[in-house]
Amino acid sequence: MTAMLFSMPGNERLARAMADQAGWPLGELDIRRFPDEESYVRLRSPVTGCAAGIVCTLARPDAQILSLLFAARLLRESGARSVQLIAPYLAYMRQDRRFHDGEALTSRQFAQLLSSEFDGLITVDPHLHRYQDLAQIYSIETASLTASPLLAEWVQRHIDNPLIIGPDSESEQWAGAIAAHVGAPHAVFTKSRRGDRDVLVAASDLAAWHGRTPILVDDVISSGHTLANAARAIIVQGFPAPICLAVHGLFAAGAEALLAHAGCRAVTTDSIPHVSNAVDLGPLLGATLVAQLTVLDAQRLRKTPK
Ligand code: R5P
């Protein structure tokens, strides 16, 4: 046995789908909390000589980061030849510069923490805004996948005559790619953010596309304010409430109610478990896991003294 996949709590379904795709067996990790909230981690599967992978989406990262780091170290100490992290949603990408004096550069520090325990990272549509590449902050092998083709396939299968709309300039990359894939027009609004839950969205004129079904596309739904505001700007132009299509549905407190109040239906990938999940990432992630292992093994062989 040369490879084994592990799941952190809450990631079991995706880990199973990835393991099926990759042809890797699933190993067993016990992870629980002591009464004082410290983490308990125990490995129950032999990993000597194995390439190991841990599936852990990093929504709500503070609650799980320590047990994840403990698990990675434990696998290595137990003889795993490499340890990869598969984090479909990668956290701590927003603070990619110090916006105000005295702020912590958490994107870099988080990247250093993960790079210190893992050999490789596989993720989907990380929030690369001021960084162009994860390699700018991660010192390990990284694979950044995009869910755009899968989101586009969902649109193709479920929506006739769509109009793809990005709520802000950063969403152009998803809105443009999906629109091109399905052969639909797209528009991109302008957003200014005044606070965590305070955004202004300036819509463009959509009059030329009346009769089409509006689909708002973004990488992340967090507080929901970006998409709810964009949805209202679409509805006042005489369109039905849009479908909100996103890669990562974080759904911070109040987000679901906000979108429901605007009349929107959310559709997301399963990067973060949620009732809106309709696009499966398991096959894509599983195939990438196998490919990345080949890269890591080649690196290891190059480093092994003859
Ligand atoms: C920001 O640049 C992202 O692409 C999303 O638009 C943002 O994270 C959404 O956040 P919220 O749901 O809190 O408005």
Side-chain angles (χ1 to χ4, degrees):
M1 182 173 304
T2 58
M4 193 176 283
L5 195 59
F6 294 87
S7 167
M8 293 299 282
N11 296 267
E12 292 81 2
R13 206 193 60 78
L14 192 54
R16 163 54 60 201
M18 287 184 61
D20 288 349
Q21 173 71 36
W24 289 25
L26 282 171
E28 227 187 306
L29 273 174
D30 283 355
I31 301 197
R32 66 175 177 83
R33 298 255 181 217
F34 287 107
D36 61 4
E37 298 279 310
E38 285 186 4
S39 297
Y40 171 88
V41 182
R42 181 177 181 186
L43 175 64
R44 288 193 177 272
S45 308
V47 292
T48 310
C50 270
I54 305 181
V55 185
C56 183
T57 202
L58 285 167
R60 281 123 198 133
D62 295 10
Q64 45 182 350
I65 188 66
L66 270 181
S67 49
L68 174 63
L69 296 175
F70 293 151
R73 176 76 61 93
L74 177 62
L75 287 172
R76 196 179 304 282
E77 287 170 347
S78 306
R81 71 173 194 266
S82 62
V83 187
Q84 294 195 65
L85 170 62
I86 304 92
Y89 174 71
L90 182 62
Y92 280 108
M93 291 299 292
R94 72 167 68 203
Q95 204 68 18
D96 53 4
R97 75 175 172 90
R98 299 182 208 275
F99 299 93
H100 302 102
D101 286 349
E103 285 180 346
L105 193 54
T106 48
S107 55
R108 185 174 294 279
Q109 192 171 356
F110 192 71
Q112 286 166 349
L113 264 179
L114 291 181
S115 298
S116 68
E117 296 293 350
F118 289 94
D119 299 292
L121 165 69
I122 299 172
T123 190
V124 180
D125 287 311
H127 191 75
L128 291 169
H129 185 194
R130 274 157 284 261
Y131 298 125
Q132 287 185 329
D133 198 297
L134 287 178
Q136 286 176 255
I137 48 175
Y138 281 82
S139 57
I140 54 178
E141 193 64 37
T142 57
S144 291
L145 311 177
T146 180
S148 291
L150 298 174
L151 295 176
E153 281 165 26
W154 184 90
V155 173
Q156 227 153 17
R157 272 201 308 275
H158 295 93
I159 310 294
D160 291 331
N161 216 16
L163 166 62
I164 311 296
I165 303 165
D168 55 26
S169 57
E170 291 168 36
S171 62
E172 161 80 41
Q173 54 188 301
W174 294 279
I178 292 169
H181 193 115
V182 304
H186 82 283
V188 177
F189 295 170
T190 309
K191 177 175 86 178
S192 45
R193 184 175 283 284
R194 300 186 301 189
D196 292 350
R197 291 173 184 270
D198 186 7
V199 295
L200 283 178
V201 174
S204 45
D205 184 359
L206 305 176
W209 297 303
H210 271 127
R212 287 186 173 265
T213 302
I215 305 189
L216 270 169
V217 176
D218 209 351
D219 58 341
V220 175
I221 302 174
S222 179
S223 72
H225 282 275
T226 298
L227 291 187
N229 285 3
R232 282 191 283 270
I234 292 168
I235 294 164
V236 294
Q237 295 193 48
F239 285 84
I243 290 168
C244 292
L245 184 63
V247 182
H248 307 294
L250 282 168
F251 295 100
E256 287 158 309
L258 204 60
L259 292 177
H261 190 251
C264 299
R265 171 189 169 200
V267 172
T268 60
T269 77
D270 59 357
S271 71
I272 301 164
H274 186 261
V275 288
S276 61
N277 291 169
V279 176
D280 293 338
L281 295 174
L284 173 67
L285 288 166
T288 309
L289 183 63
V290 174
Q292 178 124 308
L293 177 59
T294 311
V295 174
L296 290 179
D297 275 348
Q299 286 174 351
R300 203 169 56 92
L301 284 175
R302 274 199 301 274
K303 281 186 204 153
T304 309
K306 297 210 168 78

